Amino acid sequence: MKSRWLRAWLRLFPADFRGDFGDEMRASVDEELRDARTRRGRAGVAWRNVTAALRVGPRLHLEQWRQDLRHAVRALAHAPLFSLAAVGALAFGIGSTVSTFGLADAFLFRPLPFARPAELVHLWAADRARGDDEMRASLQEFEAWRSRDDLFSGVAAFNYSSVELTGGPEPERIPAGLVSAGLFDVLGVPPLAGRALRAGDDQPGAAPVVVLGEAFWRQRFGGSPEAIGRSLAIGGVPHTIVGVMPASFVFPLPITRLWVPRILDRARLTPDVQPLQVVARLRPGVAPGQVTSGLEALAPDLGASYPALAGRTVNVVPLGEALNFAWDLFAIGSVVIGVANLLVLLAACANISSLMLGRAVTRGREVSIRAALGASRFRLVRQLMAESLVLAGCGALAGLGIAQAGLRLADRLIPMELYRAAPFAVDWRAAGVAVVLAAGAALLFGLSPALRFARANLAEAMRQDGTGGTTSRRSLRLQSLFVRKQVAFTVVLLVGTLVAARTFARLSTVDPGFETGGVTTMSLVLPVSRYADRAAVARFHADVSDAVRRVPGVDAATTVNYLPLNHETAIVPVSADGPGADAAVRRPEAQSLAVGPEYFRVLRIPIAAGRAFTPADTSDGRPVAVVNDTLARRLWPGRSPVGASLWIEDDVAPRTVVGIVGDTRQVDLGEAAGGQVFLPQAQSPWTYLRVLARGVDGREADLTALRAAVHDVDPLLPIVEVRSLRQVVDDFLLPQRALGAVLLVLGGFSLWLALFGIYGIVTCHVADRRREIGVRVALGADRSRIVRFVVGRGVRLAVHGSVAGLVLAAAGSLAARAFVPGLAVADPLVMLAVVGLIVGVAAAAAFVPARRAARVDPLRAIRG
């Protein structure tokens, strides 16, 4: 028992200290124990020595670490090129990984800025037969769900929207949230000033009120408490300001600046009107599965009471996933870029391992002298590991700077409409990730060379000359292994980059079915206060198209409710036989667009048969429609649908098909075009519209003229999102292009690391065989053969690493296709191209030391 206690007590001190004073300390304690005559006295001896060791031991350990770190800093300062190269490689790998974590943290990981966010869920309506799990709810469904107070402690409705502020020098459209009265209580966030919406504010006839966001409150009212109770004109209607929400309250979009009541009017929100998004807070102990089964039990009664809701059920998802409509994209992109960052970091660690092994070998004499002076192998390993920690620490600090710059760039590129639970910034969470990465990297690239050198024959190293002698074959083999690993990681990353590039290039070359050049778009929302009936809305569509068409340079102008490739569409069931032909047969679905007469001319969509819309297709005429080729083949196979009848949704009367147009891509470029049905704006007018003008080239003078034309029709109407149609399509492809650019940068950096590693190992190989090369030259060897011999060494390293990398890349490609539909295949041509690139880079990297070897002076080499 005493021996075990003494061994444990001595281990509290550093190993070198134990080696110098351990015997004396053990003898001293033994003497004290012998002098102690009682058990209590021996316990006192143990207590005094243990407490002294706990007080002194950590200080001794810390002092040794300080000495090792100071020595590491001095040693690295004497090798500035090595230090800068290692820190730069680590900084890039750590910085790119931390910036990726920062994005994923803001979009995926960070808890929502609400009270107990794990309890919050989003309730979607769902139609299993149609395969649609994310449908908005009707007022009747919302009220039925809200009645289940055994499942929820609160349920509220909301919508994304924007409102028109009037009363200023110019009309202004502000992003707003339409919310029911209980929403702020459900989310559990109290107002910064005043009050939130309360019961009755969302009922018909209630006095108009508004809650401001803190940023808007400070911008418009200077943060004055006297703003509470004042009036704000929204859509021409005065709204009383009742409260201010804190800046940390982000709902339902980061750009939301104020909140107005969502009026729950049963007279207008009939069961066939389904506009509501629903958020609920679960009661403690209630699981989402219980919610699903509980609400599904309500579906039969709702369907029986309201035929428009027949067949609908519910889908429960976490609130954060529902608010971020690019959740899937960020989840996949974060995994892809995260894996790429990991490969780059591993390649950097392999590179630095090779360099550190070379440094350890060349410093053999120095370390041997330290060992001869009494340094233990553990202390020598720790000194080399201290250099690794210093490099990793500097790399982490520089990486945090790179990460901050990357997050600032991402903040400018990523649209603010995408829900983020926190701003993009390097905070303590990101710093923690950097520390973990730095510690892991230090172990990866520092431990193997340190242990390898600790097992070296130090006596033999002492007999070497001051240069450190030649590199051992075992060290060269270990360095070669690091380079092969590095090449393998590079191959995997380059194959992935080329696969992603082919996928994105394929999307960029897909014909959308319309011409994007020369078209300018503007977004408008007509306020209900001035456009209360369908006739007024239809008249505005006609008037604004005529006004824009008169602008000099405009060839054609039209309106549409949804822009193509702008993440917006409406899906409706359609039928050629009538809605009641066979209730058991599911009706096909089509994208529905309300367009002006010149829509097909503006986008240059070809008319395959029949005609386009004309100004004569008004609400007083017969209902008409235009379909695309895909829908025509689906509903009327083998015959022309021109003149045929088409039922849309629950129409009691059919529409007459007057034309067929070519297929266009409305929502996706990666899938085949779906069925589309076009309706004339005069018969289906929308208060939400886009104005399209062909012929202007985007100059400021042209845009000013377009705005003036709109204001000639309605001078109080705000105009937002003025951009070209080409920019709309470019924004649609922005995530894919950004991902491709990131992978390209990471792949290029990894390729540079591979080149650097191959150059280093071939240089060491040439230095190790310098005497042999000199003998060969002295005996008349052809210098070109020496070049080929040395270059072959680098090429063999590249080929061996490439084979391992191709196996990993093939397996990774198959796994990625299971998660990313539509991803291009890593076919043999791609792999061959990557191997050719790697081999070419290896030959180029080896050529410089090969030429140096061929020019060696035989006499100097033999004498050296």
Side-chain angles (χ1 to χ4, degrees):
M1 176 67 71
K2 184 180 75 170
S3 62
R4 287 201 302 269
W5 171 78
L6 283 175
R7 283 198 300 269
W9 171 66
L10 286 173
R11 288 189 181 279
L12 294 175
F13 297 94
D16 294 345
F17 187 85
R18 294 198 306 269
D20 293 337
F21 306 105
D23 294 338
E24 292 85 346
M25 294 168 64
R26 185 180 291 106
S28 176
V29 171
D30 286 338
E31 184 177 352
E32 287 188 66
L33 290 174
R34 285 195 303 270
D35 293 340
R37 300 180 180 274
T38 64
R39 179 178 298 179
R40 184 174 181 179
R42 287 192 293 271
V45 171
W47 173 258
R48 285 195 306 273
N49 284 278
V50 169
T51 54
L54 291 175
R55 190 170 56 252
V56 176
R59 290 206 303 267
L60 294 175
H61 281 289
L62 185 61
E63 179 59 30
Q64 284 196 354
W65 270 110
R66 278 201 296 262
Q67 293 174 1
D68 292 340
L69 290 174
R70 284 197 298 267
H71 176 266
V73 171
R74 289 195 298 268
L76 293 174
H78 291 154
L81 292 180
F82 162 77
S83 302
L84 289 176
V87 170
L90 286 173
F92 187 87
I94 294 175
S96 60
T97 306
V98 171
S99 60
T100 302
F101 169 80
L103 293 176
D105 187 43
F107 285 111
L108 305 176
F109 304 146
R110 186 71 65 98
L112 297 175
F114 311 126
R116 304 184 306 282
E119 298 177 359
L120 295 172
V121 295
H122 190 286
L123 305 180
W124 292 106
D127 190 330
R128 310 297 186 199
R130 294 172 58 181
D132 194 343
D133 290 335
E134 295 186 354
M135 304 171 65
R136 298 192 179 192
S138 65
L139 176 60
Q140 292 70 28
E141 290 170 311
F142 167 67
E143 291 176 339
W145 297 341
R146 187 170 57 179
S147 67
R148 293 298 304 266
D149 53 7
D150 59 323
L151 300 174
F152 307 116
S153 59
V155 181
F158 69 95
N159 287 108
Y160 313 104
S161 186
S162 59
V163 296
E164 181 186 77
L165 295 186
T166 55
E170 288 188 4
E172 185 179 3
R173 182 152 292 278
I174 298 295
L178 304 182
V179 300
S180 64
L183 181 123
F184 299 99
D185 294 331
V186 170
L187 298 180
V189 181
L192 180 67
R195 68 170 177 87
L197 300 182
R198 61 190 177 194
D201 286 339
D202 55 4
Q203 296 304 306
V209 295
V210 61
V211 175
L212 307 181
E214 182 179 354
F216 181 80
W217 172 55
R218 296 189 182 281
Q219 175 191 354
R220 184 62 62 96
F221 299 99
S224 172
E226 297 179 357
I228 307 297
R230 292 177 60 179
S231 180
L232 186 68
I234 299 177
V237 178
H239 285 59
T240 301
I241 300 171
V242 296
V244 177
M245 296 303 295
S248 59
F249 182 75
V250 181
F251 189 88
L253 292 175
I255 58 176
T256 302
R257 303 179 69 187
L258 53 83
W259 297 265
V260 295
R262 181 56 159 107
I263 303 301
L264 304 178
D265 186 355
R266 295 182 66 88
R268 296 184 59 189
L269 298 178
T270 55
D272 59 325
V273 179
Q274 299 151 0
L276 303 179
Q277 292 186 252
V278 181
V279 58
R281 181 176 290 278
L282 303 179
R283 284 199 176 278
V286 175
Q290 296 174 259
V291 174
T292 301
S293 59
L295 297 186
E296 283 180 344
L298 304 175
D301 291 339
L302 284 170
S305 302
Y306 310 105
L309 304 179
R312 287 163 63 95
T313 179
V314 68
N315 181 30
V316 182
V317 300
L319 180 60
E321 184 176 338
L323 292 178
N324 184 359
F325 50 83
W327 178 279
D328 292 340
L329 178 63
F330 277 107
I332 294 173
S334 297
V335 171
V336 172
I337 297 180
V339 171
N341 284 325
L342 180 62
L343 291 173
V344 169
L345 194 55
L346 289 174
C349 290
N351 193 301
I352 299 172
S353 292
S354 178
L355 294 176
M356 290 199 70
L357 184 62
R359 274 176 50 81
V361 170
T362 58
R363 294 168 63 193
R365 186 177 181 85
E366 169 200 342
V367 178
S368 299
I369 292 175
R370 290 178 176 273
L373 293 176
S376 64
R377 288 184 182 271
F378 175 78
R379 183 67 185 274
L380 295 175
V381 170
R382 194 169 69 179
Q383 286 179 347
L384 293 176
M385 284 301 300
E387 295 186 17
S388 301
L389 290 175
V390 171
L391 289 175
C394 294
L397 290 175
L400 289 175
I402 293 175
Q404 182 65 27
L407 290 175
R408 288 179 180 174
L409 177 62
D411 195 29
R412 291 197 296 267
L413 295 178
I414 297 178
M416 281 298 298
E417 289 83 355
L418 294 180
Y419 190 90
R420 58 189 75 173
F424 299 155
V426 174
D427 56 7
W428 68 269
R429 297 158 67 96
V433 171
V435 170
V436 171
L437 291 174
L443 288 175
L444 283 176
F445 68 74
L447 190 58
S448 179
L451 293 177
R452 167 70 185 87
F453 188 73
R455 292 193 296 266
N457 189 336
L458 301 181
E460 180 180 345
M462 281 287 291
R463 292 193 295 270
Q464 296 172 356
D465 60 15
T467 64
T470 60
T471 306
S472 70
R473 294 189 179 276
R474 186 173 181 181
S475 297
L476 281 175
R477 284 197 299 271
L478 192 57
Q479 286 179 285
S480 300
L481 177 62
F482 290 142
V483 172
R484 291 189 185 98
K485 291 180 180 179
Q486 186 177 337
V487 170
F489 298 145
T490 301
V491 167
V492 174
L493 187 53
L494 288 178
V495 169
T497 301
L498 289 182
V499 168
R502 290 184 64 189
T503 303
F504 304 148
R506 186 172 60 194
L507 289 179
S508 300
T509 58
V510 170
D511 181 11
F514 56 87
E515 292 189 14
T516 60
V519 179
T520 301
T521 72
M522 297 180 289
S523 178
L524 307 173
V525 180
L526 305 182
V528 179
S529 59
R530 298 201 306 275
Y531 298 90
D533 56 75
R534 291 167 58 89
V537 176
R539 188 164 51 251
F540 176 84
H541 279 272
D543 292 345
V544 77
S545 297
D546 291 340
V548 171
R549 196 178 297 114
R550 291 192 295 269
V551 172
V554 173
D555 299 329
T558 189
T559 60
V560 65
N561 56 345
Y562 294 134
L563 282 178
L565 299 179
N566 197 42
H567 306 285
E568 52 188 19
T569 190
I571 305 296
V572 296
V574 295
S575 173
D577 302 318
D582 188 350
V585 178
R586 177 187 168 194
R587 290 190 289 168
E589 295 176 339
Q591 301 161 4
S592 175
L593 296 171
V595 303
E598 291 191 341
Y599 179 77
F600 306 110
R601 181 184 171 193
V602 170
L603 295 190
R604 295 181 178 172
I605 301 172
I607 307 294
R611 66 172 177 85
F613 298 130
T614 69
D617 295 317
T618 64
S619 58
D620 297 331
R622 63 172 179 169
V624 296
V626 170
V627 299
N628 69 338
D629 285 331
T630 295
L631 187 61
R633 291 192 302 270
R634 185 178 301 168
L635 295 183
W636 298 276
R639 62 189 179 93
S640 173
V642 176
S645 296
L646 175 70
W647 279 264
I648 301 175
E649 291 191 298
D650 297 320
D651 285 346
V652 295
R655 291 179 177 269
T656 301
V657 177
V658 297
I660 307 173
V661 297
D663 292 336
T664 61
R665 308 300 180 100
Q666 179 70 23
V667 295
D668 195 0
L669 286 172
E671 298 179 359
Q676 293 176 320
V677 57
F678 300 89
L679 310 178
Q681 282 279 17
Q683 296 179 357
S684 301
W686 281 59
T687 56
Y688 172 82
L689 67 144
R690 310 280 187 158
V691 179
L692 285 74
R694 173 170 287 281
V696 291
D697 57 6
R699 294 178 303 176
E700 188 59 36
D702 295 328
L703 301 181
T704 301
L706 292 176
R707 291 190 182 95
V710 174
H711 285 153
D712 285 343
V713 180
D714 187 342
L716 299 180
L717 199 63
I719 303 172
V720 295
E721 292 185 356
V722 181
R723 51 183 178 160
S724 69
L725 188 58
R726 188 182 301 278
Q727 184 180 351
V728 172
V729 178
D730 289 342
D731 290 345
F732 178 84
L733 293 173
L734 177 62
Q736 293 86 347
R737 289 174 175 169
L739 181 60
V742 171
L743 290 177
L744 183 63
V745 171
L746 294 176
F749 185 76
S750 183
L751 185 63
W752 178 85
L753 287 177
L755 184 150
F756 191 67
I758 292 172
Y759 172 82
I761 188 62
V762 173
T763 300
C764 288
H765 178 73
V766 169
D768 184 60
R769 307 189 68 169
R770 180 181 176 86
R771 186 188 299 272
E772 174 191 343
I773 293 172
V775 171
R776 289 175 179 269
V777 172
L779 295 176
D782 186 5
R783 294 181 184 269
S784 63
R785 291 187 61 185
I786 294 176
V787 171
R788 290 196 299 271
F789 170 75
V790 176
V791 170
R793 170 76 177 178
V795 170
R796 282 194 298 274
L797 285 173
V799 171
H800 294 163
S802 297
V803 170
L806 290 178
V807 174
L808 294 175
S813 177
L814 293 176
R817 284 177 60 81
F819 294 97
V820 187
L823 191 68
V825 182
D827 55 31
L829 183 62
V830 171
M831 295 185 174
L832 185 62
V834 170
V835 172
L837 178 63
I838 291 292
V839 170
V841 166
F847 184 71
V848 174
R851 288 187 60 191
R852 189 180 303 130
R855 294 175 179 176
V856 68
D857 184 346
L859 292 179
R860 293 182 60 185
I862 295 172
R863 289 171 180 170

